[in-house]
Amino acid sequence: MSAEGKYRSEIDGLRAVAVIPVVLYHAGFAGFRGGYLGVDVFFVISGYLITRLIDAEIAHGEFTLLGFYERRVRRILPALYLVVAVSFAFAWLWLLPSEMRDFGRSVVGIALFGSNVVFDKEIGYFTGDVGSWPLIHTWSLAVEEQFYALFPFLLLLSQRLRGRWVFVLVAALSALSFAAAEWASKIDPQADFYLPQFRAWELGAGALIALARPERLALGAAWRSALAGLGAALLAIALVAAPRDLAPSLGSLAPVGGAALLIAFARPDNVWGSLLASKPLVGVGLVSYSAYLWHQPLFAFARFRFNAAPASTAMALLAAAAFALAYVSWRWIERPFRDRARLSRAFVFAEAFLVGAALLVGGRLIVIDRGAPGRMPPIVGRDDIGVYRDACLDLNDLRPASLAATPCRLGRRDAAPDFLLIGDSHAASLADGLDIAAKRAGRSGLVVAANACLPILGLRSQYPRSRPACRRLHDSLLDIVDQFGIKLVVMHARWEAMNEAQEVDDEQSVRIARGDDMKTRLIGTVSALAAHGAKVVIVTSTPHSLYRVPDILARKAWYGLKVDERADFKQFLAENSAAFGLFADPALRQHAAVIDLYPFFCDGESDGRCRVAEGPRPYFFDDSHLSRFGATALSPILEQAFR
């Protein structure tokens, strides 16, 4: 084996350092707030190892694309396909139809080496906790697979640029990727997280270590130890203390830089290399790939089955089970498939094609069948979303002529609109009830809403992909009032979002709005509407459950799950304390009336709990957005808006 291809046990040790925090983080253990950044470390390692291998083979005239992809297939697909197949069985047993449909989409994405693209496309504002999806973690494998699809060609095309020019080219592309990631972290954080163009710089960091001239890394022992120690410190701080959901740009410099420094300078002649090369870490590192594959399905299915986070003891046992299964996979799946003497290239490619095709077809059939609802008894109230949610959220065209022709009409359809319902997605889910109330009152109106968009001028949406729509709503509001001659504006939202709202003075000036700032903006919005001839009615928030209500009711009916799905009234009051304080302000009450919805759910006779369903009929289609049944039940209360 050439010097370039020499095995480095400290790399396997670094894999262990990456995978253990990931598993503990997903298990919910305190002390590993930045454990998810272990994935960034894996990217650096992959970039280093793949580049070192390809560059060495090109230099010796031994590189072939077929040989490269054969190694990748042997390394990645057998264990991955095993985990997906086992997950399929448990998904069939325990996942509700909507969850099963999402699972089928995940399987299709995996079979096409693009689960990250599927997740970026399918995950939206109403998706819920994707951390409980059994195969959500495969997004990182897809990023690596996409890297493998392109990077060998880049090195082949640039082989005439031997030496430092290859390094310069990779460095330039990595810098572009980093700049794009930093931009996307502010514009579209979800795409920044999942898509390969925004992660390429992390793989590029490892590639640059592999391409660096040996003499540049051949520092004295003291310098190597110091730089490796710096890398260890950066990595430790990131994994233990990083805030949750750090954007993979500036926020990932510490784990990426730390991993790169350890790869470059942690060698057998210093304490950091010796530590990483220790037998316990190397042992965990050898099974790290399979451990990463197994841990998420184990945790996710436990949560699905019990619809809650299991106790820490149970999660610790599941984490241990992940590593036990990882050893089994490594010993009897990974190692045999990497053995060319045992399994031929033709067999490996045929197996990969046939199993991948079977997963693709199986996943697609599940999606077509809408999650195979025949597996479970029919549950009353499921999928009772309401007619207004999708049609009237995040509209691109808010011109009066376009609005008048949209399906976002409320009340009478044979009269010109004279009232407006505005707010966030909760306002859209309230629309079915207000539609009924308006018909009874003989009124005609419109609903205009944007996800996570408080109806307070000058605040931006907390959901990045809805920020343009929220800004359009705010910019167009007074024009809509004037051009339709609106006499009544009904505001509804998840008002507890006031505690996290952001003010926008211009595109570059964003800050958290608090206290008097929020009061000033809310009173200013209401006063502006009053000045344009519109009375304002504020409809307060609804309580929310800890669970997706239709799902928990379905599980209770399907396999007798024991859990109290009702909302906590004290928690609701605490979360809305700032909003209720503002709504009671005399200055606001000069121009606005307030309708409270919570007495309908919290009747004072339920031991501090609030109803979220009527028997088997859920009032909400998730944890807090009203279902059509729930909105309809509130219509008598909403008639107050027209009195």
Side-chain angles (χ1 to χ4, degrees):
M1 180 178 289
S2 65
E4 294 87 344
K6 183 179 178 181
Y7 171 70
R8 291 184 57 192
S9 57
E10 58 268 23
I11 299 298
D12 275 326
L14 187 57
R15 283 191 174 113
V17 171
V19 77
I20 291 173
V22 169
V23 172
L24 295 178
Y25 171 80
H26 287 149
F29 286 102
F32 290 92
R33 290 196 311 168
Y36 61 93
L37 295 171
V39 175
D40 301 67
V41 177
F42 278 126
F43 286 150
V44 180
I45 294 172
S46 292
Y48 169 76
L49 291 176
I50 293 303
T51 305
R52 187 178 70 156
L53 173 67
I54 296 175
D55 189 57
E57 289 189 344
I58 289 176
H60 291 87
E62 300 170 353
F63 179 77
T64 66
L65 287 172
L66 188 61
F68 171 76
Y69 289 120
E70 177 191 353
R71 285 192 295 270
R72 294 300 90 205
V73 168
R74 289 178 184 271
R75 173 75 173 93
I76 294 173
L77 296 187
L80 172 62
Y81 285 169
L82 171 66
V83 171
V84 174
V86 173
S87 298
F88 222 124
F90 284 96
W92 187 267
L93 289 174
W94 290 340
L95 297 194
L96 300 174
S98 60
E99 299 160 350
M100 191 67 181
R101 186 172 61 243
D102 291 334
F103 180 85
R105 292 184 179 123
S106 301
V107 173
V108 170
I110 291 168
L112 296 175
F113 310 115
S115 62
N116 59 328
V117 178
V118 171
F119 295 141
D120 179 62
K121 177 182 177 182
E122 296 295 335
I123 293 172
Y125 183 71
F126 294 95
T127 301
D129 179 19
V130 298
S132 63
W133 287 16
L135 301 176
I136 188 69
H137 63 320
T138 62
W139 72 268
S140 62
L141 302 183
V143 169
E144 291 197 20
E145 289 161 349
Q146 290 149 18
F147 173 74
Y148 301 149
L150 297 175
F151 195 66
F153 292 95
L154 174 66
L155 290 183
L156 280 174
L157 291 173
S158 62
Q159 61 181 307
R160 293 184 179 180
L161 304 175
R162 299 300 303 166
R164 64 188 180 92
W165 291 110
V166 179
F167 182 93
V168 170
L169 176 62
V170 174
L173 292 174
S174 298
L176 285 174
S177 171
F178 178 81
E182 181 62 19
W183 169 81
S185 69
K186 299 176 176 60
I187 303 301
D188 192 348
Q190 182 168 299
D192 189 35
F193 185 87
Y194 286 113
L195 299 186
Q197 61 267 37
F198 307 125
R199 292 286 188 169
W201 70 274
E202 299 181 352
L203 292 136
L208 291 174
I209 299 298
L211 293 170
R213 291 182 179 180
E215 61 268 20
R216 294 188 181 275
L217 302 179
L219 305 176
W223 274 107
R224 289 199 304 274
S225 181
L227 290 171
L230 174 61
L234 289 172
L235 188 54
I237 292 171
L239 294 175
V240 173
R244 292 178 60 87
D245 302 325
L246 202 62
S249 50
L250 282 174
S252 292
L253 279 177
V256 170
L261 287 171
L262 285 169
I263 292 172
F265 300 112
R267 298 289 176 159
D269 63 350
N270 60 52
V271 64
W272 307 107
S274 299
L275 180 62
L276 289 176
S278 62
K279 288 184 178 181
L281 285 181
V282 170
V284 173
L286 288 172
V287 303
S288 60
Y289 173 60
S290 282
Y292 182 76
L293 289 177
W294 281 111
H295 85 281
Q296 178 63 17
L298 286 173
F299 297 162
F301 284 119
R303 291 177 173 126
F304 274 124
R305 177 60 181 83
F306 301 105
N307 215 81
S312 57
T313 301
M315 295 306 289
L317 291 173
L318 288 170
F323 285 99
L325 288 170
Y327 175 78
V328 173
S329 294
W330 173 77
R331 177 67 179 81
W332 282 283
I333 300 295
E334 288 191 57
R335 287 182 62 186
F337 270 89
R338 291 187 211 174
D339 187 347
R340 291 186 177 87
R342 180 181 298 187
L343 300 174
S344 68
R345 171 183 290 176
F347 175 85
V348 168
F349 278 125
E351 177 268 346
F353 174 79
L354 292 174
V355 177
L359 293 176
L360 176 62
V361 172
R364 185 57 187 156
L365 288 175
I366 289 295
V367 175
I368 292 172
D369 194 30
R370 303 183 67 181
R375 297 171 298 123
M376 60 179 291
I379 305 297
V380 176
R382 285 197 55 76
D383 300 322
D384 183 20
I385 290 176
V387 298
Y388 289 100
R389 192 197 83 184
D390 291 328
C392 308
L393 281 169
D394 295 348
L395 293 176
N396 290 317
D397 190 351
L398 294 180
R399 291 175 299 177
S402 300
L403 282 176
T406 67
C408 305
R409 296 290 299 272
L410 301 175
R412 294 178 56 186
R413 305 301 196 268
D414 59 350
D418 69 347
F419 80 89
L420 190 64
L421 170 62
I422 63 170
D424 58 8
S425 55
H426 290 74
S429 68
L430 184 73
D432 287 289
L434 194 63
D435 177 51
I436 295 171
K439 288 176 180 175
R440 291 172 182 160
R443 301 287 292 272
S444 176
L446 295 165
V447 53
V448 181
N451 286 321
C453 180
L454 286 172
I456 301 175
L457 299 179
L459 300 182
R460 72 174 186 170
S461 172
Q462 293 300 289
Y463 182 56
R465 292 186 174 183
S466 291
R467 283 172 187 163
C470 185
R471 185 159 191 158
R472 284 193 297 272
L473 191 160
H474 288 175
D475 290 346
S476 304
L477 177 58
L478 296 178
D479 288 338
I480 294 172
V481 169
D482 288 339
Q483 294 189 45
F484 279 108
I486 296 295
K487 303 302 181 185
L488 169 67
V489 174
V490 179
M491 294 180 171
H492 180 55
R494 187 180 74 90
W495 294 107
E496 53 264 45
M498 285 183 176
N499 296 328
E500 58 206 41
Q502 294 177 324
E503 292 183 293
V504 180
D505 293 325
D506 53 55
E507 286 296 335
Q508 287 73 42
S509 178
V510 178
R511 66 189 180 92
I512 300 296
R514 300 194 185 280
D516 291 340
D517 296 325
M518 185 65 69
K519 175 181 175 180
T520 299
R521 287 195 178 275
L522 177 59
I523 292 177
T525 301
V526 172
S527 299
L529 289 168
H532 285 252
K535 168 189 170 184
V536 175
V537 171
I538 296 174
V539 180
T540 62
S541 299
T542 58
H544 64 85
S545 173
L546 292 176
Y547 310 101
R548 295 177 70 88
V549 180
D551 293 356
I552 201 71
L553 295 179
R555 287 191 163 88
K556 291 175 78 170
W558 190 7
Y559 49 74
L561 183 66
K562 303 295 183 183
V563 68
D564 186 352
E565 71 276 6
R566 294 176 300 168
D568 186 312
F569 187 41
K570 289 183 179 179
Q571 179 181 349
F572 167 75
L573 292 177
E575 291 172 343
N576 285 270
S577 58
F580 284 135
L582 288 179
F583 297 159
D585 191 287
L588 180 71
R589 289 295 188 123
Q590 290 180 11
H591 301 296
V594 177
I595 297 176
D596 286 321
L597 296 181
Y598 69 85
F600 174 85
F601 304 96
C602 314
D603 56 15
E605 299 177 359
S606 53
D607 192 27
R609 311 292 288 179
C610 301
R611 296 175 301 143
V612 293
E614 183 178 311
R617 302 293 299 274
Y619 289 137
F620 304 95
F621 67 76
D622 54 10
D623 61 337
S624 62
H625 291 88
L626 289 164
S627 65
R628 181 162 39 197
F629 174 73
T632 300
L634 291 172
S635 61
I637 299 173
L638 296 173
E639 290 181 29
Q640 298 176 46
F642 303 109
R643 294 172 187 165

